[in-house]
Amino acid sequence: MNQSLRSCKKFVHLDLKGAPPRIGYLIELIQLFADLGANGLLIEYEDMFPYEGELKALQSTTQPPYRRDEIVSIQDAAYSRGLEIIPLVQTFGHLEFVLKHEVFRDLREVDYCLGTLNPHRDAGVRLVQEMLQQVMKLHPKSTSLHIGADEVYMLGHGDESKHWLDVPGWSVHQLFLSHVIKVAKGVQESAPNLNLMMWDDMLRSMTPETIKESGLVGLVQPMLWDYSPTLDVENTVMLMERYKSAGMSQQWAASSFKGSTTVHTCVTSTQRHLDNHLQWLKVASSLSAGIKLQGIALTGWQRYDHLSILCELMPVGLPSLGSCLQTLLHGGFTEEAQKKVVETLGTVDVEDTERLSSRTSSSFAGAKLAELIVKLTSLLESAELRHFQNNMFVRGWFTPYHRQKKTINPLIAQQIKTQAKIILDAVESQVQEVRGEMCLLYSDSTVQEWVDQHITPVLEPLHNLLRDIETVLNEMGLCTESIS
């Protein structure tokens, strides 16, 4: 059994750039995280932070951001359970929520990439520094800050960067490092005791010498992220040893408990994420003594980026989170680990709806919604719905040829409509149940977004088919009741 990950800090990542929970539910979740074994939160507010002044434009317009007193209540809830809080503020890449605004458009590295900041503009550096200051001012007890800096796409492609790179010996690596160092030193000036960390992916292709000579060492600690259930242990250990040889002995790990399967996944697979954590345990037990593992962040992505659709909602990911936290605490998914998860949540697998629905007195916050989403997703993924266009009646009597010729056997048309209506009615009934439960935990705009992204695209082909049938029947002079 491995001691280093068992004893180190375990931070649950709250990705609030999508489906931010209502404040009451968020407070309940924080209590649950503590019950499950977490001892910290990594909070990524993005547009849900109540920025002020020139930055007020960054606030979400689809729903109100958290109020300042709500940000305080989040911290109070965490600190009352002994949880540390590390704010995460992107400062280079993944700034879509900032650079999408026309007022900040000229700060993009290239115009068609909304995520990457132009590192040559003083206004851009001042912008991220102001973001950092406003967030940290509202988190006076936080002793650490995550400055993001992952996936800085298209860096070096902007005109100013191309000009900068024309200087012999200068590279994109140095361009990246110079901006991160500038940001880190700016933070250090105003908060010299603040511990800084960053995502590591942009460092992976650099030599230890490049990192060492840049001046980054001692300013920022790398957080290595890998969410794969088949994480390459040997290569990850080699990477961590390479960072150590560059002088970065204090390192963090980042795993995933949800939001990293596919961009549109609705139901979390506990086994997939368990496997990821078991691989991280192997990594931790293989490190040399010189690497000081500071902790692990269990990421729970709610979107892949600001403009993508919603991943699994938090209630659906809780059994996975509990299982992963307990696996880290026990050094494996032991019988004791499983017992703790079942005692707290009722199940280790959200797809076990029988266990979810059988819980009464101590059902976890959001269990009912999780159960309904699993059942609805199962219906949406049924062959009957997904492959309706391939059933005998559609394939035999309403092909593209029939639509072009505007002809259909009316009896068959009625058969198709009857079958489709049975499916649509069943889905709509479950959707209404999901809506009713979801609006208790999330804003109306989040509920509508989830339905529009995960339900509407699945039903649309069926609705289009029915409309086409109605059109053809009308062309044939057979007026029937319209089905929307």
Side-chain angles (χ1 to χ4, degrees):
M1 287 202 299
N2 163 63
Q3 293 298 317
S4 57
L5 267 183
R6 292 183 69 182
S7 57
C8 77
K9 295 175 182 176
K10 298 161 193 67
F11 285 78
V12 174
H13 171 233
L14 271 174
D15 180 14
L16 300 174
K17 65 175 171 279
R22 294 187 186 275
I23 190 66
Y25 182 48
L26 185 50
I27 301 299
E28 285 188 82
L29 285 171
I30 291 170
Q31 306 296 334
L32 198 50
F33 297 160
D35 291 342
L36 290 168
N39 42 31
L41 301 176
L42 177 64
I43 306 182
E44 187 168 0
Y45 293 103
E46 230 190 55
D47 60 358
M48 287 303 292
F49 187 81
Y51 287 107
E52 296 181 321
E54 182 193 8
L55 301 186
K56 194 166 185 178
L58 305 185
Q59 292 185 10
S60 169
T61 54
T62 56
Q63 58 205 326
Y66 292 116
R67 300 189 310 269
R68 300 179 78 78
D69 64 294
E70 290 175 332
I71 301 288
V72 171
S73 69
I74 290 169
Q75 294 170 81
D76 289 344
Y79 294 136
S80 73
R81 295 298 305 274
L83 302 183
E84 294 180 43
I85 292 181
I86 301 176
L88 192 166
V89 182
Q90 289 286 4
T91 57
F92 206 170
H94 281 304
L95 281 168
E96 294 91 351
F97 82 104
V98 176
L99 301 177
K100 70 178 183 179
H101 296 286
E102 189 64 32
V103 66
F104 299 121
R105 182 172 180 170
D106 64 342
L107 298 180
R108 300 174 193 168
E109 169 72 339
V110 291
D111 193 49
Y112 55 88
C113 178
L114 272 62
T116 300
L117 188 73
N118 179 336
H120 308 280
R121 302 280 177 90
D122 289 340
V125 176
R126 286 196 303 272
L127 172 68
V128 296
Q129 292 287 11
E130 178 63 20
M131 289 164 59
L132 293 170
Q133 285 179 15
Q134 288 196 23
V135 170
M136 292 314 294
K137 188 177 179 183
L138 209 49
H139 293 78
K141 292 183 181 176
S142 288
T143 56
S144 298
L145 169 66
H146 197 308
I147 59 170
D150 60 317
E151 298 179 333
V152 187
Y153 300 130
M154 307 306 295
L155 182 61
H157 289 250
D159 290 339
E160 288 169 88
S161 289
K162 287 177 181 176
H163 183 69
W164 191 90
L165 291 167
D166 281 340
V167 177
W170 286 10
S171 68
V172 173
H173 286 161
Q174 290 161 321
L175 179 58
F176 171 81
L177 290 166
S178 66
H179 175 77
V180 172
I181 290 167
K182 199 181 297 181
V183 169
K185 284 185 173 177
V187 173
Q188 204 175 49
E189 284 175 19
S190 57
N193 297 320
L194 203 57
N195 174 50
L196 299 182
M197 61 194 70
M198 64 181 284
W199 299 118
D200 83 300
D201 53 286
M202 296 296 289
L203 304 174
R204 292 175 191 171
S205 58
M206 298 183 193
T207 64
E209 292 70 34
T210 298
I211 296 171
K212 195 180 297 184
E213 291 166 7
S214 70
L216 183 70
V217 178
L219 283 175
V220 189
Q221 298 168 0
M223 181 177 278
L224 292 83
W225 59 271
D226 194 322
Y227 313 141
S228 171
T230 56
L231 177 157
D232 189 320
V233 173
E234 186 180 349
N235 279 348
T236 304
V237 171
M238 283 172 56
L239 179 61
M240 297 178 83
E241 296 289 349
R242 203 160 78 234
Y243 290 153
K244 185 193 75 171
S245 70
M248 305 177 91
S249 58
Q250 294 179 309
Q251 301 176 28
W252 294 74
S255 56
S256 170
F257 72 89
K258 80 173 189 73
S260 59
T261 305
T262 71
V263 71
H264 53 76
T265 298
C266 280
V267 177
T268 307
S269 162
T270 294
Q271 190 60 56
R272 176 187 175 87
H273 298 285
L274 263 182
D275 288 344
N276 175 238
H277 287 79
L278 292 170
Q279 294 300 94
W280 271 114
L281 284 169
K282 292 177 188 173
V283 169
S285 64
S286 305
L287 298 175
S288 66
I291 295 176
K292 302 179 181 71
L293 198 56
Q294 303 297 294
I296 183 168
L298 294 84
T299 64
W301 298 102
Q302 196 53 74
R303 301 185 194 277
Y304 275 28
D305 66 35
H306 181 74
L307 300 170
S308 67
I309 69 172
L310 296 171
C311 304
E312 311 103 292
L313 297 179
M314 184 60 80
V316 184
L318 288 173
S320 169
L321 173 62
S323 300
C324 294
L325 277 168
Q326 286 297 310
T327 292
L328 294 178
L329 281 164
H330 290 89
F333 198 41
T334 62
E335 191 176 329
E336 195 178 345
Q338 293 178 51
K339 183 183 174 187
K340 173 65 175 175
V341 179
V342 172
E343 282 176 358
T344 310
L345 302 176
T347 180
V348 299
D349 185 359
V350 76
E351 293 182 87
D352 184 358
T353 53
E354 192 173 328
R355 281 203 173 202
L356 268 182
S357 60
S358 68
R359 294 192 44 89
T360 51
S361 59
S362 55
S363 184
F364 69 85
K368 180 64 175 173
L369 177 59
E371 178 196 346
L372 291 172
I373 287 176
V374 171
K375 288 180 176 177
L376 175 57
T377 302
S378 178
L379 178 56
L380 292 172
E381 291 177 351
S382 66
E384 191 181 15
L385 174 52
R386 288 282 179 176
H387 305 297
F388 190 86
Q389 305 257 15
N390 291 327
N391 82 23
M392 182 183 79
F393 297 110
V394 179
R395 286 292 301 273
W397 282 270
F398 201 55
T399 62
Y401 174 85
H402 292 90
R403 297 177 205 209
Q404 183 188 354
K405 296 296 183 182
K406 295 185 171 53
T407 184
I408 188 173
N409 182 324
L411 289 175
I412 297 295
Q414 195 57 49
Q415 186 73 25
I416 294 171
K417 286 162 60 178
T418 299
Q419 288 183 350
K421 192 172 187 309
I422 290 170
I423 293 173
L424 289 172
D425 286 351
V427 171
E428 187 54 37
S429 173
Q430 289 195 28
V431 168
Q432 290 310 314
E433 274 194 274
V434 167
R435 275 184 182 274
E437 197 64 30
M438 197 183 291
C439 72
L440 300 176
L441 311 180
Y442 296 97
S443 69
D444 293 346
S445 60
T446 291
V447 176
Q448 191 57 49
E449 180 186 3
W450 189 87
V451 170
D452 288 345
Q453 292 174 349
H454 294 287
I455 310 301
T456 304
V458 180
L459 300 184
E460 196 168 29
L462 203 50
H463 284 300
N464 290 341
L465 174 70
L466 292 175
R467 274 193 291 272
D468 288 347
I469 287 174
E470 288 301 322
T471 299
V472 170
L473 288 173
N474 287 331
E475 288 276 348
M476 294 170 65
L478 296 167
C479 296
T480 63
E481 182 184 346
S482 177
I483 298 179
S484 61

